[in-house]
């Protein structure tokens, strides 16, 4: 397993640092962090570990506004979408299969990127999506995980998941937007359960790929 750092210019005036983990796989798992939730934090950190433990390559994204340590303005989101699309398009060259793992704001960026990478059949693992992500989720294959006490994903959006026939839905009881609770022991248990879901998700894609 090799770790590579890729630096890309950004609209925000600071280079973004992408981490590319390679081990000779034909599958690249791209990780889209949240606005204030990096891939070093538990929900995404263990998703990265789960993917690489299954032999997959990984691309861990950073956003320009994050590297510049500034807030993302609403009118800048289209700029961010295009930057991320170009980064992923470049990094995905040579891979046969893409999997997008995303959290919160990252679910919007993953949906936008997948919509414009039409030469791939992309699988998604949506973690704590936002209401506005539903537009993309209705055309996605994969899995969505959310907490039943997540105030950023409404009851209306949850009900509409029933129409997303290609998405498996997993609810985390009593968990908020960080997929954790106020009880540290319970949060640790939830993290362990998440890891099991991650491994099942990646394993199922591998098995499907080999059988096709």
């Amino acid at each position: 397993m090799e770790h590579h750092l890729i630096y890309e210019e950004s609209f925000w005036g600071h280079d973004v640092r992408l981490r590319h983990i390679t081990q000779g796989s034909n599958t690249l798992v791209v990780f889209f962090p949240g606005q204030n939730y990096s891939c070093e934090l538990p929900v995404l950190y263990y998703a990265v570990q789960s993917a690489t433990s299954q032999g997959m390559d990984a691309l861990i994204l950073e956003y320009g506004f994050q590297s510049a340590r500034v807030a993302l303005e609403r009118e800048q989101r289209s700029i961010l979408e295009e930057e991320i699309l170009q980064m992923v398009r470049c990094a995905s060259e040579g891979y046969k299969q893409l999997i997008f793992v995303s959290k919160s704001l990252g679910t919007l960026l993953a949906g936008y990127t997948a919509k414009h990478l039409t030469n791939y059949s992309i699988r998604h693992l949506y973690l704590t999506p936002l209401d506005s992500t539903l537009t993309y989720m209705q055309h996605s294959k994969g899995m969505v995980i959310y907490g039943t006490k997540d105030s950023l994903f409404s009851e209306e959006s949850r009900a509409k998941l029933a129409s997303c026939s290609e998405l498996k839905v997993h609810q985390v009881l009593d968990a908020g937007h960080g997929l954790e609770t106020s009880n540290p022991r319970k949060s640790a248990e939830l993290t362990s359960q998440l890891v099991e879901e991650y491994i099942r998700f990646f394993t199922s894609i591998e098995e499907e790929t080999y059988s096709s």
Side-chain angles (χ1 to χ4, degrees):
M1 188 183 299
E2 297 182 357
H3 294 252
H4 312 271
L5 293 179
I6 304 169
Y7 292 90
E8 297 282 355
E9 293 182 357
S10 169
F11 165 84
W12 285 267
H14 287 253
D15 286 354
V16 295
R17 188 184 73 168
L18 313 179
R19 287 193 290 141
H20 190 194
I21 302 172
T22 60
Q23 45 189 340
S25 176
N26 289 325
T27 299
L28 178 67
V29 187
V30 184
F31 292 86
F32 298 75
Q35 184 163 339
N36 299 301
Y37 199 99
S38 76
C39 291
E40 301 301 321
L41 295 174
V43 170
L44 289 175
Y45 174 81
Y46 287 109
V48 174
Q49 297 298 308
S50 299
T52 56
S53 74
Q54 299 304 304
M56 297 172 173
D57 287 6
L59 179 70
I60 301 168
L61 299 175
E62 180 183 46
Y63 308 140
F65 72 91
Q66 293 175 331
S67 63
R69 304 293 189 268
V70 298
L72 176 66
E73 303 296 335
R74 183 181 297 272
E75 63 271 15
Q76 295 173 337
R77 205 183 92 184
S78 61
I79 298 171
L80 177 62
E81 289 173 338
E82 283 301 311
E83 280 197 355
I84 294 301
L85 172 60
Q86 296 309 318
M87 290 176 192
V88 176
R89 177 175 281 142
C90 181
S92 62
E93 289 183 4
Y95 285 97
K96 294 183 178 179
Q97 179 169 237
L98 298 182
I99 301 170
F100 286 177
V101 179
S102 56
K103 187 181 189 311
S104 194
L105 169 67
T107 62
L108 293 172
L109 298 171
Y112 178 88
T113 303
K115 181 180 178 180
H116 291 83
L117 285 182
T118 55
N119 53 327
Y120 289 97
S121 177
I122 297 169
R123 299 302 179 95
H124 288 266
L125 176 54
Y126 289 110
L127 304 170
T128 67
L130 305 175
D131 287 335
S132 47
T133 312
L134 196 66
T135 301
Y136 296 118
M137 294 166 68
Q138 290 171 335
H139 305 284
S140 299
K141 295 181 179 181
M143 185 176 191
V144 54
I145 300 177
Y146 68 87
T148 59
K149 291 188 175 180
D150 186 349
S151 61
L152 298 181
F153 195 53
S154 68
E155 288 291 344
E156 182 181 359
S157 294
R158 298 173 196 181
K160 289 180 179 177
L161 284 178
S163 66
C164 301
S165 59
E166 299 288 344
L167 282 179
K168 179 182 177 183
V169 179
H170 179 74
Q171 297 178 334
V172 182
L173 297 178
D174 300 323
H177 194 60
L179 293 179
E180 58 188 5
T181 72
S182 58
N183 183 319
R185 287 193 177 91
K186 179 62 175 177
S187 293
E189 291 174 5
L190 291 180
T191 299
S192 178
Q193 293 169 17
L194 280 176
V195 171
E196 294 302 320
E197 289 296 329
Y198 295 159
I199 291 175
R200 274 194 288 269
F201 172 74
F202 292 123
T203 301
S204 68
I205 293 177
E206 276 190 317
E207 291 174 348
E208 183 178 319
T209 300
Y210 289 132
S211 63
S212 61

